[in-house]
């Protein structure tokens, strides 16, 4: 009975979303996009106080009108992300190829040829869901390390979107076991590392002008598996496509000082945000008072 209800709920959400995803992007943006922007920004003011507070504390040099303008641009970006993610339910590989450009993949190939595992760390910046194209573009196995959602229905929908082109999703609590078991099969593992880790986590860093708790799970995983660590950056281009760039953090994780990898990641992410701040996830309650 429970499985039947689960399947009914899943299909009740999946099929309408799939049908919407078949709309041309221009049509979805002109209809659904404008409606979502109006409702989230103008009517319900979705987490507007959280967005303003996060922006004001993180960008103290900005004036209040500048903060308001960045907030407005953020909501436009958030709506674009929703439409782009919906489109991922049905988009073809060929169409997605045109929306995503990879930069500096030679870095990944270099270490893969040395039979090294690679961990890519990134933040909730740009549209990270577009990373689902990586397994189709790279000549080696690609994993996404993730924290399962509390809703099994939403979890299955996320698996569908992220796994369409071969991405393997690995729960964070199984990542170490997985990589050690497959240590003779070098692969790329993607880790979104800027979530709030909880108040019990004492790994504090100066991030966005605030004392910030950071996950150090990627650092621990890299040291345990001697994996190369790279920073993954996603930037929107003028034509509304996305550019995914890779840069080295360390090729010798076991020789780094405590928290060095996590600190380097935080510094790189802060620089990314400072260049174009509207693309980070400002509506997330990242800092807990």
């Amino acid at each position: 009975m429970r499985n039947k209800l689960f399947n009914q709920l899943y299909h009740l959400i999946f099929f309408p979303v799939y049908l919407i995803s078949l709309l041309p992007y221009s049509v979805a943006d002109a209809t659904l996009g404008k409606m979502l922007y109006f409702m989230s920004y103008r009517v319900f003011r979705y987490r507007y106080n959280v967005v303003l507070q996060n922006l004001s504390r993180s960008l103290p040099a900005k004036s209040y009108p500048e903060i308001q303008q960045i907030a407005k641009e953020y909501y436009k970006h958030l709506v674009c992300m929703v439409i782009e993610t919906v489109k991922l339910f049905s988009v073809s590989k060929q169409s997605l190829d045109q929306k995503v450009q990879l930069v500096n993949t030679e870095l990944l190939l270099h270490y893969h040829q040395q039979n090294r595992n690679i961990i890519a760390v990134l933040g909730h910046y740009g549209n990270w869901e577009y990373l689902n194209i990586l397994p189709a573009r790279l000549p080696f196995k690609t994993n996404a390390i993730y924290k399962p959602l509390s809703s099994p229905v939403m979890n299955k929908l996320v698996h569908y979107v992220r796994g369409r082109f071969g991405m393997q999703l690995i729960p964070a609590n199984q990542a170490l076991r997985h990589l050690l078991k497959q240590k003779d099969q070098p692969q790329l593992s993607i880790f979104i590392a800027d979530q709030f880790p909880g108040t019990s986590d004492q790994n504090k860093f100066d991030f966005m002008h605030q004392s910030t708790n950071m996950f150090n799970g990627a650092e621990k995983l890299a040291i345990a598996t001697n994996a190369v660590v790279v920073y993954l950056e996603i930037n929107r281009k003028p034509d509304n496509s996305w550019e995914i760039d890779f840069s080295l953090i360390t090729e010798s994780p076991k020789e780094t000082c405590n928290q060095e990898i996590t600190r380097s990641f935080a510094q790189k992410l802060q620089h990314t945000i400072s260049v174009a701040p509207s693309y980070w996830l400002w509506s997330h309650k990242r800092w807990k008072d």
Side-chain angles (χ1 to χ4, degrees):
M1 181 66 181
R2 187 175 180 179
N3 288 337
K4 183 178 180 181
L5 179 61
F6 168 82
N7 288 328
Q8 288 176 339
L9 288 172
Y10 173 76
H11 290 107
L12 187 64
I13 298 173
F14 178 88
F15 286 116
V17 174
Y18 186 87
L19 289 175
I20 294 171
S21 76
L22 297 175
L23 291 172
Y25 184 86
S26 58
V27 175
D29 185 48
T31 55
L32 180 62
K34 287 186 177 180
M35 182 189 72
L36 288 176
Y37 174 74
F38 179 76
M39 298 301 290
S40 62
Y41 180 66
R42 297 292 185 185
V43 179
F44 294 109
R45 308 289 269 184
Y46 170 70
R47 291 193 173 183
Y48 188 67
N49 290 335
V50 174
V51 172
L52 285 187
Q53 185 179 74
N54 284 342
L55 283 168
S56 298
R57 291 180 175 180
S58 301
L59 305 170
K62 300 289 186 183
S63 66
Y64 188 65
E66 288 175 316
I67 293 295
Q68 288 180 307
Q69 181 59 36
I70 295 171
K72 184 177 181 180
E73 292 170 358
Y74 168 69
Y75 281 94
K76 291 179 180 179
H77 161 64
L78 197 60
V79 168
C80 285
M81 267 194 65
V82 171
I83 294 173
E84 289 173 340
T85 302
V86 167
K87 289 290 294 179
L88 287 175
F89 275 75
S90 63
V91 69
S92 67
K93 177 183 174 296
Q94 292 74 19
S95 296
L96 194 54
D97 273 340
Q98 297 174 5
K99 292 279 289 182
V100 181
Q101 178 183 348
L102 303 186
V103 178
N104 202 21
T105 54
E106 296 83 3
L107 180 70
L108 305 182
L109 294 171
H110 171 73
Y111 290 109
H112 177 70
Q113 290 168 359
Q114 295 181 10
N115 292 320
R116 298 287 303 276
N117 274 312
I118 305 168
I119 292 176
V121 287
L122 69 150
H124 285 92
Y125 186 91
N127 191 346
W128 53 91
E129 297 297 347
Y130 272 11
L131 298 176
N132 76 342
I133 193 63
L134 289 181
R137 299 277 290 274
L138 297 173
F140 43 81
K141 187 176 179 180
T142 306
N143 313 308
I145 299 172
Y146 78 110
K147 182 179 179 181
L149 301 175
S150 57
S151 166
V153 173
M154 295 305 297
N155 207 51
K156 187 175 180 179
L157 289 169
V158 168
H159 268 256
Y160 173 79
V161 169
R162 296 180 179 176
R164 283 193 63 212
F165 302 107
M167 182 81 75
Q168 180 172 352
L169 274 68
I170 304 173
N173 61 0
Q174 299 177 21
L176 179 58
R177 183 189 314 163
H178 172 88
L179 292 181
L180 288 176
K181 186 177 180 180
Q182 299 193 14
K183 61 183 179 180
D184 296 327
Q185 303 175 38
Q187 51 203 271
L188 170 67
S189 298
I190 300 167
F191 199 116
I192 298 181
D194 63 343
Q195 307 100 318
F196 178 67
T199 54
S200 61
D201 197 307
Q202 298 303 309
N203 297 288
K204 290 185 176 293
F205 299 87
D206 181 14
F207 175 68
M208 300 305 298
H209 302 280
Q210 299 171 76
S211 178
T212 306
N213 287 13
M214 282 275 186
F215 271 125
N216 64 351
E219 178 170 337
K220 290 181 177 179
L221 191 61
I223 292 171
T225 61
N226 195 33
V228 175
V229 184
V230 301
Y231 176 62
L232 191 158
E233 184 176 28
I234 310 172
N235 290 302
R236 188 181 286 279
K237 299 174 68 179
D239 62 355
N240 279 331
S241 63
W242 290 98
E243 182 179 88
I244 300 174
D245 192 6
F246 302 92
S247 59
L248 182 66
I249 290 181
T250 182
E251 62 178 14
S252 306
K254 293 186 176 183
E255 297 176 13
T256 59
C257 300
N258 183 40
Q259 299 186 343
E260 181 180 337
I261 294 173
T262 306
R263 180 175 292 104
S264 179
F265 159 71
Q267 291 171 346
K268 286 178 176 292
L269 178 58
Q270 178 169 302
H271 178 264
T272 298
I273 295 169
S274 66
V275 172
S278 61
Y279 297 123
W280 196 50
L281 192 62
W282 295 107
S283 53
H284 176 53
K285 296 181 180 179
R286 182 60 183 80
W287 293 277
K288 310 289 185 178
D289 292 328

